[in-house]
Amino acid sequence: MTLLITSPYDKYRQSSVKTSTPAQLVVMLYDGAIRFVRTAMDGLSKQDYEKTSLNFGKAQSIVSELMSTLDYSYEVSNNLYSLYEYTNFLLVEANIRKSPEKAEEAIGYLTDLRETWLQASKIAAGQVQPESAHG
């Protein structure tokens, strides 16, 4: 029998996932994808291509997960799908061509999308009034 010991940080992360709203979970996915792309870029700069490939792959998995969970009852989902598809293409290109520029472009899209979801989650939680409500 193995004893599983988790750090307080792991326990916090697990509980934060369990108590997060769907929009907050999406923001966490973006955080992870951005972190993996940055780690891959670090691997690129050090010519550690195993680290590069592994982390670009993790980022692609997150983007693919985001694509698979889109709700097409909302018109914006088609646009998001195209953006996710292009972001995944950039990640593949960054990995194959060892291109920090492609990775930076992907991070730009992921960061913009993260900010949009963060604002949406705050509005949904009633923490922020939408800009148009300020008059």
Side-chain angles (χ1 to χ4, degrees):
M1 184 174 142
T2 58
L3 179 62
L4 179 62
I5 300 172
T6 57
S7 71
Y9 174 71
D10 288 337
K11 287 180 183 174
Y12 162 76
R13 264 199 351 211
Q14 188 177 23
S15 72
S16 71
V17 167
K18 288 179 182 173
T19 59
S20 295
T21 65
Q24 289 168 328
L25 290 172
V26 171
V27 170
M28 287 180 195
L29 287 172
Y30 285 121
D31 286 341
I34 292 164
R35 188 174 62 251
F36 289 134
V37 176
R38 290 197 192 288
T39 303
M41 289 175 68
D42 181 60
L44 265 182
S45 71
K46 295 174 179 164
Q47 296 188 336
D48 180 346
Y49 298 127
E50 187 176 337
K51 177 180 180 179
T52 299
S53 186
L54 177 71
N55 285 282
F56 276 137
K58 288 179 179 181
Q60 286 172 250
S61 293
I62 290 174
V63 174
S64 294
E65 178 64 22
L66 289 164
M67 290 168 80
S68 72
T69 59
L70 286 171
D71 179 350
Y72 290 98
S73 63
Y74 298 100
E75 196 174 320
V76 71
S77 291
N78 290 316
N79 294 335
L80 278 172
Y81 186 90
S82 296
L83 197 50
Y84 290 150
E85 195 172 44
Y86 183 65
T87 301
N88 246 350
F89 167 77
L90 288 171
L91 294 172
V92 169
E93 287 288 295
N95 195 10
I96 292 171
R97 301 180 189 280
K98 309 300 180 232
S99 167
E101 296 80 17
K102 302 270 187 205
E104 280 293 345
E105 188 179 351
I107 285 178
Y109 291 123
L110 291 167
T111 302
D112 288 349
L113 287 163
R114 179 197 181 279
E115 290 308 309
T116 301
W117 277 96
L118 188 60
Q119 287 305 312
S121 72
K122 288 178 179 177
I123 291 167
Q127 296 171 344
V128 174
Q129 292 298 315
E131 289 301 316
S132 59
H134 290 297

